[in-house]
Amino acid sequence: MTDPRPPQPEQQQSMPGLTEPMDPRPDHGETSYQGSGKLSGKTAIITGGDSGIGRAVALAFAREGADILISYLNEEEDARETAKWVEEAGRKAVLVPGDIGDPAHCRLIVDRALEEFGDLHILVNNAAHQASFEKIGDISDEEWQQTFATNIHAMFYLVKAAEPHLAPGASIINTTSINADQPNAHLLAYATTKGAIQNFTMGLAQLLADKEIRVNCVAPGPIWTPLIPSTMPPEAVKNFGKNTPFGRAGQPRELASAYVMLASDESSYTTGATVAVTGGRPFI
């Protein structure tokens, strides 16, 4: 399979970005991912499940046998498209829009999953907010607070709500980033939260080990998702992914197998780990 390489065509979107206008269109594994029953009978919450990495994970989980609750902000068109792929795999898709920066909404997400599925086996904390700034003085207090509310506070709210309902063998998977190890100065708020997510993951893994609830994270490198043309300047979009040894951005489908592995019972002794999917960029 030949994946697109930079330069990408000139393109910009308003935040939070949509899949349809992107050129090239991201590959979520629609025609390539083949399931083998690794998650048969399981249920999952995926935040940011409407597009990008979240859509690829939802598609893969469904083809592995899981029912999916798709949490998203307000991208209705993208969310319905993801639900279509989940349902085509023969699994149940539940759409829940709203702001995960609100603790009450996080509790609603967990309650809705339990209402729809009866139990909960997997929580994927994937949703993220980012924006680019040249100077620290350009970052408003509100922007800083929103980034932390979406990227790290929501993980705490969701885990706290879900934990009493997770049985031994359950899996929590958090999306961190290569920015946790190699922070992009122009993504200061975002990169700071991604470092916090990795630390949160490692601490939480120890805290929940006695319940045999596994907690891990995936650290993507540059991945071609709607977040890129909607939050980065034109030149950065054009050359996005060029700074990897592979010389290109990753496609969302190239992340899905890492999440499936961490969600499956085959990873029963893996907790507190970070799986880096970076196109060859070093991650310590």
Side-chain angles (χ1 to χ4, degrees):
M1 180 180 294
T2 301
D3 290 296
R5 307 179 73 84
Q8 279 80 228
E10 290 189 14
Q11 55 197 294
Q12 293 281 273
Q13 294 189 40
S14 58
M15 296 169 70
L18 296 171
T19 303
E20 186 60 36
M22 293 182 69
D23 182 14
R25 187 180 173 90
D27 182 354
H28 308 92
E30 290 94 339
T31 62
S32 60
Y33 191 91
Q34 301 292 320
S36 57
K38 287 184 173 66
L39 305 178
S40 180
K42 294 187 183 293
T43 62
I45 292 171
I46 303 174
T47 67
D50 55 293
S51 65
I53 295 170
R55 178 182 292 183
V57 173
L59 184 155
F61 277 16
R63 291 184 183 176
E64 294 290 357
D67 294 326
I68 314 292
L69 184 146
I70 300 160
S71 159
Y72 61 103
L73 182 60
N74 56 17
E75 306 91 329
E76 295 291 341
E77 182 179 343
D78 272 349
R80 288 194 297 269
E81 177 73 10
T82 302
K84 182 197 79 171
W85 287 107
V86 170
E87 289 166 351
E88 285 188 4
R91 309 312 307 173
K92 186 174 184 177
V94 178
L95 298 180
V96 181
D99 183 3
I100 60 171
D102 177 1
H105 182 67
C106 291
R107 291 190 285 270
L108 180 150
I109 288 170
V110 173
D111 289 346
R112 183 73 185 279
L114 294 168
E115 176 186 326
E116 295 282 350
F117 305 142
D119 51 18
L120 179 62
H121 305 99
I122 305 161
L123 171 61
V124 178
N125 288 308
N126 170 72
H129 171 83
Q130 76 172 31
S132 302
F133 297 95
E134 292 293 323
K135 302 175 182 177
I136 191 169
D138 295 336
I139 306 173
S140 68
D141 295 349
E142 293 75 18
E143 172 65 28
W144 185 266
Q145 290 160 5
Q146 181 183 356
T147 307
F148 272 77
T150 302
N151 296 8
I152 183 66
H153 297 172
M155 291 193 182
F156 168 73
Y157 303 144
L158 283 159
V159 169
K160 187 177 178 182
E163 184 267 342
H165 309 284
L166 297 176
S171 176
I172 298 170
I173 308 170
N174 302 322
T175 301
T176 180
S177 168
I178 194 169
N179 277 276
D181 186 61
Q182 300 178 31
N184 181 329
H186 295 159
L187 297 174
L188 181 62
Y190 171 85
T192 303
T193 63
K194 291 300 178 174
I197 288 166
Q198 192 175 22
N199 195 293
F200 175 73
T201 299
M202 293 177 180
L204 186 64
Q206 297 173 71
L207 195 62
L208 299 184
D210 63 342
K211 290 192 66 175
E212 297 183 37
I213 297 170
R214 297 179 295 106
V215 189
N216 297 285
C217 58
V218 177
I223 306 298
W224 186 238
T225 75
L227 203 63
I228 306 313
S230 67
T231 66
M232 303 186 80
E235 192 64 22
V237 175
K238 178 181 177 181
N239 293 304
F240 187 69
K242 191 175 181 179
N243 63 345
T244 67
F246 276 0
R248 64 171 178 87
Q251 292 295 317
R253 65 169 170 79
E254 295 178 290
L255 273 294
S257 61
Y259 289 83
V260 170
M261 176 191 72
L262 293 173
S264 74
D265 294 338
E266 294 169 1
S267 294
S268 58
Y269 198 61
T270 302
T271 195
T274 300
V275 178
V277 187
T278 65
R281 286 180 60 184
F283 187 99
I284 304 301

